[in-house]
Amino acid sequence: MRMLLRIVPLSLLAVLMFGADVDIEAAKKAEQRECIACHGLRFIHTQRLSRAAWQKELDKMAGWGAEMKDRQLLLDYLTAEYGDTKPVPQAPLSSDGSKTK
Amino acid sequence: MQSAGAQEPSIPGKSPMILHNDRPEDLEMPNSYFDKWLTPNDKFFVRQHLPRPEVKGDSFRLAVTGLVARQLDLKIEDLRKLPQHKVVATLECTGNGRGFFRPRVPGIQWGRGAIGNAEWGGPRVSDVLKLAGAKTDAAFVESDGADVGVAKTPDFIRSLPMKKALDPATLLALDMNGEAIPQIHGFPARLIVPGWDGTSWVKWVVRLTVAGEENKGFFMNPGYRFPKFARPPGSAPVPAELEIIEGMRVKSAITKPAEEDKVGTGPLTISGYAWAGEQKITRVEVSTDGGSRWKDAELTPQNLNYAWRLWKLTWTPPKPGYYTILSRATDSAGNVQPFVAEWNPSGYLYNAIDRVGITVEKTA
């Protein structure tokens, strides 16, 4: 019982800090495994969308053949990290490739 | 301020570009490159939906099929033998400026730079169709590029209304600014559909099919459609009320100075671009006081349908402080750039009066 009391406030704190109890590391691994087969991740990470909008994007990708083991995990992760209340990052510049073909 | 980081990848043939994605390549032209009426190929923006195909010149064939008297299988040389034409036309991504819409919408968060202006050269689409004995009263010409979808991603196929396909300015371009079209821009053959959104300008064209009906694939419907009736920002689309996008709307943008720039009290050149789809740009006005008073900007001399005009205005700030600079364009049909762009769920056709805030500091 004493153990449980110690754990509960900690997880509550985690929820307060991160908004939801999302295993970000597991989600990042899933993203690496399941998204980059078809495309890079940059244009995901520069978007800031609501949960409903991310849900629509995941549904679209599932329809286009993405095999997602845990779609809920990806949705929680995208909403937590790239939600519409987060500031928008500036995309970087590529390195100079003008001399290469 | 953005800087070219050595850790970021380089894109073959491209100067440093705003890297929205590297696989496939989605590259925006930085504001600092908007100083030439013809955009150099190494600085021209890139939008790819699907992985870039490696089309080889010697094995390339263009199939002309459908409602034609004779099906054709054309090589590059065959296309070069047709009468060659040159058209200067501005190409703008349908979603250029998407990043300015509020509420935000999904898709690449383009700023001002998914646009460029080039001289395109090659045969007219109408001459290619004539060679095949195409039934020109059919409604559409469908075009397919050599790119293909990964997994179950739909193929990129577009239908162009026959009327626009037969327009003498509509080309199957082989050249871009006097050289063979670079691979990343659609080598060896790309549709040039002047005044229309970039989605119509299919790259790596390997098939033209004359058809009575519009293609039913994703990139015609629901992709690249615009609400017939505007709905409140944030509303879900009504699928039956979405229309195909054709011509682009009157627009100007400020490419210098940049947002949040700090400048001295001396003369400052404000510059940018303006274009209006199939119309010409007749006027660009600039305000340095938030829209109370407007002054006419100086325009580049080329006054053509389909091509942008660059503009500039030299202004000496009366005193230090924060200034909101605005630009608005007017086209040859009398259309004036609006204060507010029409919000739409996919973030297309952004064309609101542009706005940049700068701080003028006392020069010592």
Side-chain angles (χ1 to χ4, degrees), chain A residues 73-90:
Chain A
L73 172 68
L74 284 175
L75 177 61
D76 290 344
Y77 155 73
L78 290 169
T79 310
E81 297 282 290
Y82 309 112
D84 57 0
T85 57
K86 301 269 175 175
V88 178
Q90 198 157 35

Side-chain angles (χ1 to χ4, degrees), chain B residues 124-130 134-138 141 160-171:
Chain B
R124 287 176 174 151
V125 169
S126 64
D127 284 339
V128 177
L129 295 178
K130 199 189 284 174
K135 201 171 168 310
T136 51
D137 56 354
V141 178
L160 185 65
M162 181 62 80
K163 183 165 181 266
K164 186 68 177 174
L166 294 179
D167 189 295
T170 301
L171 303 184

Side-chain angles (χ1 to χ4, degrees), chain A residues 36-43 46-49 56-57 63-65 88 90-98 100-101, chain B residues 2 5-6 8-23 104 106-107 109 150-154 218:
Chain A
I36 67 166
C38 293
H39 57 76
L41 303 178
R42 292 171 184 272
F43 73 134
T46 50
Q47 297 190 51
R48 297 292 179 267
L49 303 175
K56 261 183 94 171
E57 291 303 297
W64 287 1
V88 178
Q90 198 157 35
L93 287 185
S94 58
S95 298
D96 190 359
S98 60
T100 57
K101 286 273 175 190
Chain B
Q2 291 148 345
E8 301 297 348
S10 64
I11 307 296
K14 288 289 167 184
S15 290
M17 299 287 283
I18 300 171
L19 190 62
H20 288 281
N21 210 23
D22 53 345
R23 195 172 58 84
R104 289 187 175 277
Q109 299 297 300
V150 189
K152 288 185 234 161
T153 311
F218 173 84

Side-chain angles (χ1 to χ4, degrees), chain A residues 17-24 27-28 31 44-45 47-58 70-87:
Chain A
M17 283 173 70
F18 302 109
D21 209 357
V22 188
D23 188 341
I24 300 290
K28 280 186 184 295
E31 188 185 41
I44 299 177
H45 297 170
Q47 297 190 51
R48 297 292 179 267
L49 303 175
S50 67
R51 188 178 188 85
W54 279 124
Q55 173 90 60
K56 261 183 94 171
E57 291 303 297
L58 289 174
D70 188 347
R71 209 188 296 188
Q72 192 62 39
L73 172 68
L74 284 175
L75 177 61
D76 290 344
Y77 155 73
L78 290 169
T79 310
E81 297 282 290
Y82 309 112
D84 57 0
T85 57
K86 301 269 175 175

